[in-house]
Amino acid sequence: MRIVILERSSVGADVSVEALNAFGEVIIYDNTVTIEEVQERVKDADIVIANKSPLREETLKNASRLKLICEFATGYDNCDLAYCSARGIKVANVRDYCTAMVAQHTFTLALALSQKLFHYDRYVKSGQYSAQARFSDFDLPFYELEGKTWGIVGMGNIGRRVAKIAQALGCRVVFYSITGKSSCREYPQVEKETLLSESDFLSLHCPLSELSRNFIDRDALSRMKRSAVLINVARGPVVNNADLWEALEAGEIAAAGLDVLEKEPMEPENPLSRFQDSSRLIITPHLAWASVEARKRCVEETCLNIGAFLRGEERNVVNP
């Protein structure tokens, strides 16, 4: 069995992948980006492990031995499921391995923005605090979460964890279902217009699809409260970055915290790179999922997926 890891770096050098050796010969590439690289590296593989590498007819057509694709991730939008299904190639993802960390990062962003932590940290370290006579400074206003409305888009495992934490902090929780098929009954489901107009905090946890692409655009931002805080830990294209930049510049919303962007790594042309006020915009480099514990679970779950496949069982197999 020949196993090819296309993106070893996606789980970090500090996390071991040696357990995969139990299943056969393992070929490791730190990163695989271009179509030509994918074509060459998968052509003799029985199993491919990837994260963002493009896996579709163009790159897989010569991979005659390929039987299984394992995602080092929950998302699988890099993979053409219809093509793989037609070829008899199974695709398995990793589920619920980073729920705790993504929920934690959601509130890290929300609290840092709502409490203006970066502003006040700079205020102290700049010497301004030492130079003043009074014991405190709160010239830049900040607010409590208690009593606020927390809106959620995408009430899966992560959305539900965020809802529980928000509720514990005293928020009223509402949510919107992109597909309209959510089974969640613990919290009120509302229409998009209500979600936008009532949310003091709006966090995004939905998969990327044609239904969710540009969900937050110019029109949506114009319908939000000027005091609202937007958090995107879903997928970058769920938020139109240029429209968000305009809304922040115009003061149409109070702040935004982003862990994902339309194109990653961030392009210099992205207008959000010009917005330098960290009391109103925080951007992290797609790390919300990446605690050490979560990355270890990702590898462990991938091993379980491969083991199940070799036994003729389906585990975490996604269908087109």
Short mmCIF file of all heavy atoms in Angstrom, two decimals, residues 213-270:
data_model
loop_
_atom_site.label_atom_id
_atom_site.label_comp_id
_atom_site.label_asym_id
_atom_site.label_seq_id
_atom_site.Cartn_x
_atom_site.Cartn_y
_atom_site.Cartn_z
N ARG A 213 -21.43 31.25 -0.16
CA ARG A 213 -20.44 32.15 -0.74
C ARG A 213 -20.99 33.59 -0.76
O ARG A 213 -22.11 33.83 -1.19
CB ARG A 213 -20.09 31.71 -2.15
CG ARG A 213 -18.90 32.46 -2.76
CD ARG A 213 -18.61 31.94 -4.15
NE ARG A 213 -18.24 30.53 -4.15
CZ ARG A 213 -17.00 30.08 -3.95
NH1 ARG A 213 -16.01 30.94 -3.75
NH2 ARG A 213 -16.75 28.78 -3.96
N ASN A 214 -20.20 34.54 -0.26
CA ASN A 214 -20.61 35.95 -0.19
C ASN A 214 -21.89 36.14 0.63
O ASN A 214 -22.67 37.06 0.39
CB ASN A 214 -20.81 36.54 -1.59
CG ASN A 214 -19.50 36.83 -2.28
OD1 ASN A 214 -18.56 37.36 -1.67
ND2 ASN A 214 -19.41 36.48 -3.55
N PHE A 215 -22.11 35.27 1.62
CA PHE A 215 -23.27 35.42 2.49
C PHE A 215 -23.25 36.80 3.17
O PHE A 215 -24.27 37.45 3.31
CB PHE A 215 -23.27 34.31 3.54
CG PHE A 215 -24.42 34.38 4.50
CD1 PHE A 215 -25.66 33.88 4.16
CD2 PHE A 215 -24.26 34.95 5.76
CE1 PHE A 215 -26.74 33.94 5.04
CE2 PHE A 215 -25.32 35.02 6.65
CZ PHE A 215 -26.56 34.52 6.29
N ILE A 216 -22.04 37.21 3.59
CA ILE A 216 -21.89 38.55 4.14
C ILE A 216 -21.29 39.43 3.06
O ILE A 216 -20.09 39.36 2.76
CB ILE A 216 -20.99 38.55 5.40
CG1 ILE A 216 -21.60 37.67 6.50
CG2 ILE A 216 -20.77 39.97 5.90
CD1 ILE A 216 -22.94 38.17 7.04
N ASP A 217 -22.14 40.22 2.43
CA ASP A 217 -21.72 41.12 1.36
C ASP A 217 -22.15 42.54 1.71
O ASP A 217 -22.52 42.82 2.86
CB ASP A 217 -22.30 40.67 0.02
CG ASP A 217 -23.83 40.60 0.03
OD1 ASP A 217 -24.47 41.05 1.02
OD2 ASP A 217 -24.41 40.12 -0.98
N ARG A 218 -22.06 43.43 0.76
CA ARG A 218 -22.38 44.85 1.01
C ARG A 218 -23.79 45.02 1.57
O ARG A 218 -24.01 45.75 2.52
CB ARG A 218 -22.25 45.62 -0.31
CG ARG A 218 -22.20 47.13 -0.13
CD ARG A 218 -20.78 47.56 0.23
NE ARG A 218 -20.71 48.97 0.53
CZ ARG A 218 -20.82 49.48 1.75
NH1 ARG A 218 -21.03 48.70 2.78
NH2 ARG A 218 -20.71 50.77 1.95
N ASP A 219 -24.74 44.31 0.95
CA ASP A 219 -26.13 44.42 1.40
C ASP A 219 -26.29 43.91 2.83
O ASP A 219 -26.94 44.56 3.66
CB ASP A 219 -27.04 43.65 0.45
CG ASP A 219 -28.50 43.72 0.88
OD1 ASP A 219 -29.08 44.81 0.82
OD2 ASP A 219 -29.06 42.67 1.29
N ALA A 220 -25.70 42.74 3.12
CA ALA A 220 -25.82 42.17 4.46
C ALA A 220 -25.20 43.09 5.51
O ALA A 220 -25.78 43.32 6.58
CB ALA A 220 -25.17 40.80 4.50
N LEU A 221 -24.04 43.62 5.22
CA LEU A 221 -23.36 44.51 6.17
C LEU A 221 -24.16 45.77 6.44
O LEU A 221 -24.17 46.28 7.56
CB LEU A 221 -21.96 44.85 5.63
CG LEU A 221 -20.97 43.68 5.65
CD1 LEU A 221 -19.84 43.92 4.66
CD2 LEU A 221 -20.41 43.47 7.06
N SER A 222 -24.83 46.26 5.44
CA SER A 222 -25.63 47.48 5.60
C SER A 222 -26.84 47.25 6.50
O SER A 222 -27.41 48.20 7.03
CB SER A 222 -26.10 48.00 4.24
OG SER A 222 -27.08 47.15 3.67
N ARG A 223 -27.23 45.99 6.68
CA ARG A 223 -28.40 45.66 7.49
C ARG A 223 -28.03 45.34 8.94
O ARG A 223 -28.91 45.12 9.77
CB ARG A 223 -29.16 44.49 6.87
CG ARG A 223 -29.72 44.80 5.49
CD ARG A 223 -30.31 43.57 4.82
NE ARG A 223 -30.65 43.84 3.45
CZ ARG A 223 -31.83 44.36 3.06
NH1 ARG A 223 -32.76 44.63 3.96
NH2 ARG A 223 -32.07 44.58 1.78
N MET A 224 -26.72 45.27 9.23
CA MET A 224 -26.27 44.96 10.58
C MET A 224 -26.23 46.22 11.45
O MET A 224 -26.20 47.34 10.95
CB MET A 224 -24.89 44.30 10.53
CG MET A 224 -24.90 42.93 9.87
SD MET A 224 -23.24 42.21 9.66
CE MET A 224 -22.78 41.93 11.38
N LYS A 225 -26.21 46.01 12.75
CA LYS A 225 -26.09 47.12 13.68
C LYS A 225 -24.73 47.79 13.52
O LYS A 225 -23.73 47.11 13.26
CB LYS A 225 -26.22 46.63 15.12
CG LYS A 225 -27.57 46.07 15.50
CD LYS A 225 -27.57 45.64 16.96
CE LYS A 225 -28.91 45.11 17.40
NZ LYS A 225 -28.93 44.73 18.83
N ARG A 226 -24.68 49.09 13.72
CA ARG A 226 -23.39 49.77 13.66
C ARG A 226 -22.50 49.34 14.83
O ARG A 226 -21.28 49.49 14.77
CB ARG A 226 -23.60 51.29 13.69
CG ARG A 226 -24.32 51.82 12.45
CD ARG A 226 -24.46 53.34 12.49
NE ARG A 226 -23.19 54.03 12.27
CZ ARG A 226 -22.69 54.33 11.08
NH1 ARG A 226 -23.34 53.98 9.98
NH2 ARG A 226 -21.55 54.97 10.98
N SER A 227 -23.10 48.78 15.87
CA SER A 227 -22.34 48.31 17.02
C SER A 227 -21.99 46.83 16.93
O SER A 227 -21.39 46.26 17.85
CB SER A 227 -23.17 48.53 18.30
OG SER A 227 -24.42 47.87 18.20
N ALA A 228 -22.32 46.18 15.81
CA ALA A 228 -22.16 44.73 15.69
C ALA A 228 -20.70 44.32 15.51
O ALA A 228 -19.90 45.04 14.93
CB ALA A 228 -22.99 44.20 14.53
N VAL A 229 -20.39 43.12 16.00
CA VAL A 229 -19.08 42.49 15.82
C VAL A 229 -19.28 41.22 14.99
O VAL A 229 -20.08 40.36 15.35
CB VAL A 229 -18.43 42.15 17.17
CG1 VAL A 229 -17.11 41.41 16.96
CG2 VAL A 229 -18.21 43.41 18.00
N LEU A 230 -18.55 41.13 13.89
CA LEU A 230 -18.63 39.98 12.99
C LEU A 230 -17.42 39.07 13.21
O LEU A 230 -16.29 39.54 13.25
CB LEU A 230 -18.65 40.45 11.53
CG LEU A 230 -18.58 39.37 10.45
CD1 LEU A 230 -19.85 38.53 10.42
CD2 LEU A 230 -18.31 40.00 9.08
N ILE A 231 -17.66 37.76 13.33
CA ILE A 231 -16.58 36.79 13.50
C ILE A 231 -16.70 35.73 12.40
O ILE A 231 -17.75 35.09 12.27
CB ILE A 231 -16.64 36.08 14.87
CG1 ILE A 231 -16.66 37.10 16.02
CG2 ILE A 231 -15.49 35.09 15.01
CD1 ILE A 231 -15.40 37.90 16.18
N ASN A 232 -15.64 35.55 11.61
CA ASN A 232 -15.64 34.51 10.59
C ASN A 232 -14.54 33.49 10.87
O ASN A 232 -13.37 33.76 10.69
CB ASN A 232 -15.46 35.08 9.18
CG ASN A 232 -15.63 34.01 8.11
OD1 ASN A 232 -16.09 32.91 8.38
ND2 ASN A 232 -15.25 34.33 6.89
N VAL A 233 -14.97 32.30 11.32
CA VAL A 233 -14.05 31.18 11.50
C VAL A 233 -14.52 30.01 10.63
O VAL A 233 -14.19 28.85 10.89
CB VAL A 233 -13.95 30.74 12.98
CG1 VAL A 233 -13.24 31.80 13.81
CG2 VAL A 233 -15.34 30.44 13.56
N ALA A 234 -15.29 30.32 9.58
CA ALA A 234 -15.84 29.30 8.68
C ALA A 234 -14.91 29.13 7.49
O ALA A 234 -13.88 28.46 7.58
CB ALA A 234 -17.25 29.69 8.25
N ARG A 235 -15.24 29.76 6.39
CA ARG A 235 -14.41 29.77 5.19
C ARG A 235 -14.35 31.22 4.69
O ARG A 235 -15.32 31.97 4.79
CB ARG A 235 -14.97 28.86 4.10
CG ARG A 235 -14.77 27.37 4.37
CD ARG A 235 -13.30 27.00 4.25
NE ARG A 235 -13.07 25.56 4.40
CZ ARG A 235 -12.74 24.98 5.54
NH1 ARG A 235 -12.63 25.71 6.64
NH2 ARG A 235 -12.52 23.68 5.59
N GLY A 236 -13.20 31.60 4.13
CA GLY A 236 -12.98 32.99 3.74
C GLY A 236 -14.04 33.55 2.81
O GLY A 236 -14.56 34.66 3.03
N PRO A 237 -14.41 32.83 1.73
CA PRO A 237 -15.35 33.40 0.76
C PRO A 237 -16.78 33.56 1.27
O PRO A 237 -17.64 34.08 0.55
CB PRO A 237 -15.30 32.38 -0.40
CG PRO A 237 -13.97 31.72 -0.28
CD PRO A 237 -13.74 31.62 1.19
N VAL A 238 -17.06 33.14 2.51
CA VAL A 238 -18.38 33.41 3.08
C VAL A 238 -18.56 34.91 3.30
O VAL A 238 -19.68 35.43 3.30
CB VAL A 238 -18.57 32.63 4.40
CG1 VAL A 238 -19.91 32.97 5.07
CG2 VAL A 238 -18.51 31.12 4.13
N VAL A 239 -17.44 35.62 3.45
CA VAL A 239 -17.45 37.08 3.64
C VAL A 239 -16.75 37.73 2.45
O VAL A 239 -15.60 37.38 2.14
CB VAL A 239 -16.76 37.49 4.94
CG1 VAL A 239 -16.67 39.01 5.07
CG2 VAL A 239 -17.49 36.90 6.15
N ASN A 240 -17.40 38.66 1.82
CA ASN A 240 -16.77 39.43 0.76
C ASN A 240 -15.79 40.42 1.39
O ASN A 240 -16.21 41.36 2.07
CB ASN A 240 -17.83 40.17 -0.06
CG ASN A 240 -17.24 40.89 -1.26
OD1 ASN A 240 -16.42 41.79 -1.12
ND2 ASN A 240 -17.66 40.48 -2.45
N ASN A 241 -14.50 40.20 1.21
CA ASN A 241 -13.49 40.99 1.91
C ASN A 241 -13.50 42.46 1.53
O ASN A 241 -13.33 43.34 2.39
CB ASN A 241 -12.11 40.40 1.66
CG ASN A 241 -11.86 39.10 2.40
OD1 ASN A 241 -10.74 38.57 2.40
ND2 ASN A 241 -12.90 38.53 3.03
N ALA A 242 -13.69 42.76 0.26
CA ALA A 242 -13.73 44.16 -0.17
C ALA A 242 -14.93 44.88 0.43
O ALA A 242 -14.82 46.04 0.88
CB ALA A 242 -13.77 44.24 -1.70
N ASP A 243 -16.07 44.20 0.48
CA ASP A 243 -17.27 44.81 1.07
C ASP A 243 -17.08 45.03 2.57
O ASP A 243 -17.53 46.05 3.11
CB ASP A 243 -18.48 43.92 0.82
CG ASP A 243 -18.91 43.91 -0.65
OD1 ASP A 243 -18.35 44.69 -1.43
OD2 ASP A 243 -19.81 43.12 -0.99
N LEU A 244 -16.42 44.08 3.24
CA LEU A 244 -16.18 44.25 4.67
C LEU A 244 -15.26 45.43 4.92
O LEU A 244 -15.49 46.22 5.85
CB LEU A 244 -15.56 42.97 5.25
CG LEU A 244 -15.16 43.05 6.73
CD1 LEU A 244 -16.34 43.39 7.62
CD2 LEU A 244 -14.51 41.74 7.17
N TRP A 245 -14.22 45.57 4.11
CA TRP A 245 -13.31 46.71 4.27
C TRP A 245 -14.08 48.03 4.15
O TRP A 245 -13.90 48.94 4.96
CB TRP A 245 -12.21 46.64 3.21
CG TRP A 245 -11.32 47.85 3.20
CD1 TRP A 245 -10.33 48.15 4.09
CD2 TRP A 245 -11.36 48.92 2.26
NE1 TRP A 245 -9.75 49.36 3.77
CE2 TRP A 245 -10.35 49.86 2.64
CE3 TRP A 245 -12.13 49.19 1.14
CZ2 TRP A 245 -10.13 51.02 1.94
CZ3 TRP A 245 -11.89 50.36 0.43
CH2 TRP A 245 -10.90 51.26 0.83
N GLU A 246 -14.95 48.12 3.16
CA GLU A 246 -15.74 49.35 2.98
C GLU A 246 -16.63 49.60 4.19
O GLU A 246 -16.77 50.75 4.64
CB GLU A 246 -16.59 49.24 1.71
CG GLU A 246 -15.78 49.31 0.42
CD GLU A 246 -16.67 49.26 -0.81
OE1 GLU A 246 -17.91 49.29 -0.66
OE2 GLU A 246 -16.12 49.20 -1.93
N ALA A 247 -17.23 48.54 4.72
CA ALA A 247 -18.12 48.69 5.87
C ALA A 247 -17.35 49.14 7.11
O ALA A 247 -17.83 49.98 7.89
CB ALA A 247 -18.84 47.38 6.15
N LEU A 248 -16.14 48.61 7.30
CA LEU A 248 -15.32 49.03 8.44
C LEU A 248 -14.86 50.47 8.28
O LEU A 248 -14.89 51.26 9.23
CB LEU A 248 -14.11 48.10 8.58
CG LEU A 248 -14.40 46.69 9.09
CD1 LEU A 248 -13.18 45.80 8.91
CD2 LEU A 248 -14.81 46.71 10.57
N GLU A 249 -14.44 50.82 7.09
CA GLU A 249 -14.01 52.19 6.82
C GLU A 249 -15.15 53.18 7.06
O GLU A 249 -14.93 54.28 7.59
CB GLU A 249 -13.52 52.31 5.37
CG GLU A 249 -12.15 51.70 5.12
CD GLU A 249 -11.03 52.56 5.68
OE1 GLU A 249 -11.22 53.79 5.84
OE2 GLU A 249 -9.95 52.00 5.96
N ALA A 250 -16.37 52.79 6.69
CA ALA A 250 -17.52 53.68 6.82
C ALA A 250 -18.15 53.61 8.21
O ALA A 250 -19.07 54.38 8.51
CB ALA A 250 -18.57 53.31 5.77
N GLY A 251 -17.65 52.72 9.07
CA GLY A 251 -18.22 52.59 10.40
C GLY A 251 -19.59 51.93 10.41
O GLY A 251 -20.37 52.13 11.35
N GLU A 252 -19.87 51.13 9.40
CA GLU A 252 -21.19 50.49 9.32
C GLU A 252 -21.33 49.36 10.33
O GLU A 252 -22.45 49.03 10.73
CB GLU A 252 -21.46 49.98 7.91
CG GLU A 252 -21.69 51.09 6.90
CD GLU A 252 -22.11 50.57 5.55
OE1 GLU A 252 -22.20 49.33 5.37
OE2 GLU A 252 -22.37 51.39 4.65
N ILE A 253 -20.23 48.71 10.69
CA ILE A 253 -20.22 47.78 11.82
C ILE A 253 -19.06 48.17 12.72
O ILE A 253 -18.14 48.86 12.29
CB ILE A 253 -20.12 46.31 11.38
CG1 ILE A 253 -18.77 46.01 10.72
CG2 ILE A 253 -21.28 45.92 10.48
CD1 ILE A 253 -18.54 44.52 10.51
N ALA A 254 -19.12 47.70 13.97
CA ALA A 254 -18.11 48.13 14.94
C ALA A 254 -16.76 47.45 14.71
O ALA A 254 -15.72 48.10 14.79
CB ALA A 254 -18.60 47.85 16.35
N ALA A 255 -16.81 46.14 14.44
CA ALA A 255 -15.54 45.40 14.39
C ALA A 255 -15.74 44.06 13.70
O ALA A 255 -16.86 43.57 13.55
CB ALA A 255 -15.00 45.18 15.81
N ALA A 256 -14.60 43.45 13.33
CA ALA A 256 -14.62 42.12 12.73
C ALA A 256 -13.39 41.34 13.17
O ALA A 256 -12.29 41.89 13.27
CB ALA A 256 -14.68 42.20 11.21
N GLY A 257 -13.59 40.06 13.41
CA GLY A 257 -12.49 39.15 13.70
C GLY A 257 -12.51 38.04 12.67
O GLY A 257 -13.52 37.35 12.51
N LEU A 258 -11.41 37.85 11.96
CA LEU A 258 -11.35 36.89 10.87
C LEU A 258 -10.21 35.91 11.08
O LEU A 258 -9.09 36.32 11.36
CB LEU A 258 -11.13 37.60 9.52
CG LEU A 258 -12.05 38.77 9.17
CD1 LEU A 258 -11.59 39.40 7.85
CD2 LEU A 258 -13.50 38.33 9.08
N ASP A 259 -10.51 34.63 10.92
CA ASP A 259 -9.44 33.64 10.90
C ASP A 259 -9.25 33.10 9.48
O ASP A 259 -8.30 32.37 9.24
CB ASP A 259 -9.76 32.48 11.85
CG ASP A 259 -8.62 31.48 11.93
OD1 ASP A 259 -7.49 31.91 12.26
OD2 ASP A 259 -8.84 30.29 11.64
N VAL A 260 -10.15 33.46 8.59
CA VAL A 260 -10.12 32.97 7.21
C VAL A 260 -10.35 34.13 6.25
O VAL A 260 -11.03 35.10 6.58
CB VAL A 260 -11.18 31.87 6.99
CG1 VAL A 260 -10.77 30.59 7.68
CG2 VAL A 260 -12.55 32.32 7.47
N LEU A 261 -9.77 34.02 5.06
CA LEU A 261 -9.85 35.06 4.06
C LEU A 261 -10.22 34.46 2.71
O LEU A 261 -10.12 33.24 2.51
CB LEU A 261 -8.52 35.81 3.95
CG LEU A 261 -8.08 36.54 5.22
CD1 LEU A 261 -6.59 36.80 5.19
CD2 LEU A 261 -8.86 37.84 5.39
N GLU A 262 -10.62 35.32 1.77
CA GLU A 262 -11.05 34.83 0.46
C GLU A 262 -9.95 34.03 -0.23
O GLU A 262 -10.21 33.00 -0.85
CB GLU A 262 -11.48 36.00 -0.42
CG GLU A 262 -12.84 36.57 -0.03
CD GLU A 262 -13.25 37.74 -0.89
OE1 GLU A 262 -12.37 38.53 -1.30
OE2 GLU A 262 -14.46 37.86 -1.17
N LYS A 263 -8.71 34.51 -0.12
CA LYS A 263 -7.57 33.77 -0.67
C LYS A 263 -6.50 33.69 0.41
O LYS A 263 -6.20 34.68 1.07
CB LYS A 263 -7.02 34.46 -1.93
CG LYS A 263 -7.99 34.39 -3.10
CD LYS A 263 -7.36 34.95 -4.37
CE LYS A 263 -8.35 34.84 -5.55
NZ LYS A 263 -7.77 35.39 -6.80
N GLU A 264 -5.95 32.49 0.57
CA GLU A 264 -4.96 32.26 1.62
C GLU A 264 -3.70 31.63 1.05
O GLU A 264 -3.80 30.73 0.21
CB GLU A 264 -5.57 31.35 2.70
CG GLU A 264 -6.77 31.98 3.38
CD GLU A 264 -7.56 31.02 4.25
OE1 GLU A 264 -7.32 29.78 4.16
OE2 GLU A 264 -8.43 31.50 5.00
N PRO A 265 -2.52 32.10 1.45
CA PRO A 265 -2.31 33.18 2.40
C PRO A 265 -2.84 34.52 1.87
O PRO A 265 -3.12 34.66 0.69
CB PRO A 265 -0.80 33.22 2.59
CG PRO A 265 -0.25 32.60 1.35
CD PRO A 265 -1.24 31.57 0.92
N MET A 266 -2.95 35.49 2.75
CA MET A 266 -3.53 36.79 2.40
C MET A 266 -2.73 37.45 1.29
O MET A 266 -1.50 37.51 1.33
CB MET A 266 -3.53 37.68 3.64
CG MET A 266 -4.27 38.99 3.46
SD MET A 266 -4.23 39.94 5.01
CE MET A 266 -5.56 41.10 4.73
N GLU A 267 -3.45 37.93 0.30
CA GLU A 267 -2.80 38.63 -0.81
C GLU A 267 -2.57 40.09 -0.45
O GLU A 267 -3.41 40.71 0.23
CB GLU A 267 -3.65 38.54 -2.06
CG GLU A 267 -3.80 37.13 -2.60
CD GLU A 267 -4.60 37.10 -3.89
OE1 GLU A 267 -5.61 37.83 -3.97
OE2 GLU A 267 -4.21 36.37 -4.82
N PRO A 268 -1.46 40.68 -0.88
CA PRO A 268 -1.22 42.10 -0.60
C PRO A 268 -2.33 43.00 -1.13
O PRO A 268 -2.58 44.08 -0.59
CB PRO A 268 0.11 42.38 -1.32
CG PRO A 268 0.77 41.05 -1.43
CD PRO A 268 -0.34 40.05 -1.60
N GLU A 269 -3.02 42.54 -2.18
CA GLU A 269 -4.08 43.33 -2.79
C GLU A 269 -5.37 43.34 -1.98
O GLU A 269 -6.28 44.12 -2.24
CB GLU A 269 -4.39 42.82 -4.21
CG GLU A 269 -3.24 42.94 -5.19
CD GLU A 269 -2.20 41.84 -5.02
OE1 GLU A 269 -2.52 40.82 -4.35
OE2 GLU A 269 -1.07 42.00 -5.53
N ASN A 270 -5.47 42.43 -1.01
CA ASN A 270 -6.68 42.39 -0.18
C ASN A 270 -6.79 43.71 0.58
O ASN A 270 -5.90 44.06 1.36
CB ASN A 270 -6.60 41.22 0.80
CG ASN A 270 -7.91 40.99 1.53
OD1 ASN A 270 -8.62 41.91 1.91
ND2 ASN A 270 -8.22 39.72 1.76
#
